[in-house]
Amino acid sequence: LLAFDETHGLVNTLHTVQAGIDAPLWLATSGAVSTGRGDSLTSPTQAQVWGLGRVVGLEHADRWGGLVDLPDTVDPVAAQRLVSALAGIADEDQLAIRGNGILARRLVHAPIGDRRPTRTWQPTGTILITGGTGALGAHVARWLATAGADDLILTSRRGPSAPGAAQLVDELAALGATATVVACDMADRAALAKVLTGEPIRAVVHTAGVVQATMLADMGAAELADVLSAKVDGARNLDELLDDDLDAFVLFSSNAGVWGSGGQGAYAAGNAYLDALAQHRRDRGRTATSVAWGAWRGGGMAAHDDAEEQLRRRGVRAMPPEVTLAALRTALDHDETFVAVADVDWARFVPGFTSARRRPLLDELPEVRQALAAEQATPTDQTLARRMATLPPAERDRLVLDLVRGAVGAVLGHSRAEAIDAGRAFKEIGFDSLTSVELRNRLTASTGLKLPATLVFDHPTPAELARFIRSELVDDTPTGADAVLAELDRLDAVVSRISPVDGDFGLIASRLRSMLSRLGDANDSQGVAGVAQQLEAATDDEIFDFIHRELGRS
């Protein structure tokens, strides 16, 4: 159990994960989550641990305990409830201990469609868009200009020198909006304060962010700080510097902070902060809306390298900008504090997400329950073990290789296991550290074996990996007489390469006499003892002739 320290908490948490302690890791916070009305979220900073912890649960499922948020005062009742949580409550791994009991976190469908909007939000005055020259910021700027916004301030680290900035300004002007592009690092409070000294800001949309694709085991404190800077420091500065009477305070968050995303530990932590900050502002009577986005088509984090394709293979489909912006309009009209917006193929997403362990977070979604029910038809590791025990060696090889190729195909999005070349290296067929962990999780679930995170690197082709898993599932090592005969076969191969003129010929012959003599002493049968006596008097050449002759009969 690691309690959060406000000064060094997230770095200490990362280092604890990297220490690799072979015990369930529970992360404790206080005030990092709200369980409903009357339960204020007091520490958005500690909420970062929840974002990071969800990624720990994906990348290190074998030693993940969970997240638990404690009340301000841990009295004997709360302490007893904490003990119960640590002892295990079913498979729950996201808990809050409160005066009315232990509460578990669940993701549910937002009932927006069943409610009438509370307002029709209309952009007025000057609107600030952070990351305004990026793909998402540019989409938002065009949408606001089309909706009637008059003045837009677009900030980014590169400002007017950002690619496409000048063209974007011209495009917005054609839509009727005046746009000003400003170079500003949102983490620089003084620089941001200078930007805000002009026209009063009526609304802000914080889209700025930094791409990340680093597993927790490889992440350093500097990278953690850099990824958090644009998201966390920028949002904190905006919260503190802007007036209380804004029309809208919109934070662009990510699903990575909601259910985790392998390789994005720092990014998930930063986005969990944004979601918590929105709740914290509401608890203080201020406006705020945080939207945890899935993938945007042709822009955002999914546009880097082959991220969009990787997300599709995992079941997260890229959404057209017109769909996402319509969802943003709905969230603002309903004055929502937090919503997650994603196009998820649950039948594809759930098997990978739950391959290493149950994820109760999703239990209330009907689509997830349906996907889980379909997964139950898959043979368990016990079924696999029983099948292995009844098959001859060649059939065992085929069964395990099919299992591995099927898991590889599922991770890479192939519908047919036969499409996977068993002799081709994983790195050549598109595997990275993230997909390697996903493959490990799938094989762990289907075999029941405790497989290392380095599985793909230790066994770099599907064929080699299948041989390793087969050896772990079934011990084919010869025993008794079979083991002796197998060793004699190897000895025969070695002896056949030794020439009588070799300098060690006599020494080897002497060792063989000694071994046979011991065999004769240990067995009082006339056959073995007699052979041993004959060999005792034999010449070296006769010894080798005898070995070749006898081994040739076996």
Side-chain angles (χ1 to χ4, degrees):
L1 177 68
L2 182 68
F4 186 86
D5 169 80
E6 288 280 0
T7 305
H8 305 100
L10 204 61
V11 173
N12 289 342
T13 302
L14 175 62
H15 289 166
T16 301
V17 173
Q18 293 172 337
I21 300 172
D22 189 16
L25 174 64
W26 283 85
L27 305 177
T29 58
S30 181
V33 300
S34 170
T35 61
R37 292 183 179 179
D39 182 31
S40 296
L41 191 156
T42 58
S43 180
T45 300
Q46 292 194 48
Q48 296 173 86
V49 171
W50 281 65
L52 185 73
R54 289 165 193 142
V55 177
V56 178
L58 292 174
E59 294 186 21
H60 301 283
D62 56 330
R63 50 190 177 88
W64 176 238
L67 295 152
V68 57
D69 194 70
L70 304 173
D72 291 337
T73 301
V74 181
D75 58 20
V77 174
Q80 183 57 51
R81 288 171 176 165
L82 175 59
V83 171
S84 299
L86 298 181
I89 303 174
D91 295 302
E92 301 293 345
D93 63 349
Q94 298 186 46
L95 300 169
I97 296 175
R98 297 295 187 264
N100 58 342
I102 303 176
L103 296 93
R105 186 170 180 265
R106 290 290 186 272
L107 192 67
V108 297
H109 286 299
I112 291 178
D114 299 331
R115 302 198 313 258
R116 297 187 62 180
T118 58
R119 63 178 180 175
T120 299
W121 184 77
Q122 178 64 38
T124 59
T126 301
I127 300 177
L128 173 68
I129 305 174
T130 74
T133 60
L136 301 191
H139 284 308
V140 171
R142 297 185 192 100
W143 172 65
L144 290 173
T146 302
D150 296 320
D151 297 300
L152 300 173
I153 299 176
L154 314 180
T155 68
S156 66
R157 289 184 176 180
R158 298 177 63 180
S161 64
Q167 293 89 333
L168 178 60
V169 170
D170 292 340
E171 185 179 352
L172 295 173
L175 294 172
T178 300
T180 304
V181 180
V182 181
C184 179
D185 181 352
M186 299 304 296
D188 186 335
R189 182 186 173 93
L192 177 58
K194 186 176 180 180
V195 172
L196 301 178
T197 56
E199 291 288 327
I201 302 296
R202 297 305 311 153
V204 60
V205 183
H206 182 42
T207 75
V210 176
V211 179
Q212 186 193 24
T214 305
M215 305 301 283
L216 292 170
D218 302 321
M219 193 194 311
E223 180 181 359
L224 176 65
D226 184 58
V227 174
L228 290 176
S229 178
K231 283 283 184 185
V232 173
D233 295 343
R236 181 186 295 115
N237 289 337
L238 289 168
D239 175 48
E240 295 173 353
L241 293 172
L242 288 171
D243 295 334
D244 291 348
D245 60 344
L246 294 175
D247 296 328
F249 186 93
V250 182
L251 301 166
F252 270 34
S253 176
S254 167
N255 290 166
V258 177
W259 55 59
S261 179
Q264 294 188 317
Y267 186 66
N271 285 294
Y273 174 89
L274 298 190
D275 300 337
L277 178 62
Q279 183 63 54
H280 187 46
R281 284 179 60 88
R282 291 283 185 173
D283 291 340
R284 290 181 285 141
R286 308 174 77 179
T287 185
T289 298
S290 184
V291 182
W293 297 108
W296 284 51
R297 183 177 299 168
M301 302 305 165
H304 294 269
D305 298 325
D306 62 345
E308 186 172 317
E309 173 59 21
Q310 289 190 26
L311 287 170
R312 185 197 64 79
R313 293 199 302 252
R314 289 170 176 77
V316 180
R317 296 176 289 229
M319 300 175 289
E322 57 269 23
V323 172
T324 57
L325 293 170
L328 177 58
R329 158 66 75 180
T330 300
L332 288 170
D333 285 351
H334 284 79
D335 200 21
E336 289 288 326
T337 300
F338 166 77
V339 290
V341 178
D343 182 4
V344 182
D345 179 354
W346 293 108
R348 174 170 288 184
F349 179 84
V350 169
F353 187 68
T354 62
S355 60
R357 59 179 290 161
R358 277 196 65 238
R359 310 287 180 181
L361 170 69
L362 305 181
D363 281 357
E364 295 299 316
L365 297 175
E367 303 90 337
V368 172
R369 291 198 295 268
Q370 183 178 358
L372 289 172
E375 276 292 293
Q376 290 177 356
T378 303
T380 64
D381 57 296
Q382 292 180 345
T383 302
L384 177 64
R386 287 196 297 268
R387 290 183 63 192
M388 292 279 288
T390 62
L391 295 175
E395 287 299 306
R396 293 174 182 175
D397 292 341
R398 182 193 60 76
L399 177 63
V400 177
L401 182 58
D402 286 348
L403 175 71
V404 171
R405 292 170 73 187
V408 171
V411 171
L412 296 180
H414 295 297
S415 58
R416 294 172 57 251
E418 294 79 8
I420 304 301
D421 184 347
R424 194 175 178 193
F426 285 112
K427 63 180 180 181
E428 294 178 2
I429 59 179
F431 268 76
D432 55 21
S433 55
L434 179 56
T435 47
S436 298
V437 170
E438 185 177 343
L439 177 62
R440 185 275 308 265
N441 289 346
R442 285 181 178 272
L443 292 174
T444 294
S446 59
T447 65
L449 298 173
K450 186 175 182 180
L451 301 171
T454 58
L455 187 69
V456 166
F457 303 99
D458 297 337
H459 311 282
T461 69
E464 293 178 57
L465 179 53
R467 284 193 291 271
F468 167 73
I469 290 177
R470 181 187 185 279
S471 68
E472 293 294 302
L473 285 171
V474 178
D475 185 4
D476 289 328
T477 304
T479 59
D482 289 338
V484 174
L485 291 174
E487 291 299 322
L488 288 175
D489 287 340
R490 283 189 284 273
L491 178 62
D492 183 31
V494 174
V495 168
S496 65
R497 295 195 295 268
I498 299 175
S499 170
V501 299
D502 191 297
D504 294 326
F505 188 85
L507 176 60
I508 295 172
S510 177
R511 287 288 304 276
L512 290 171
R513 283 196 190 92
S514 177
M515 291 170 59
L516 289 168
S517 177
R518 289 198 300 273
L519 181 62
D521 292 340
N523 191 325
D524 59 2
S525 67
Q526 183 59 39
V528 174
V531 170
Q533 291 173 1
Q534 294 175 27
L535 290 175
E536 184 67 29
T539 65
D540 292 346
D541 289 338
E542 290 171 337
I543 287 283
F544 278 83
D545 288 343
F546 171 80
I547 291 173
H548 287 305
R549 183 174 64 254
E550 292 302 314
L551 289 176
R553 295 174 181 172
S554 62

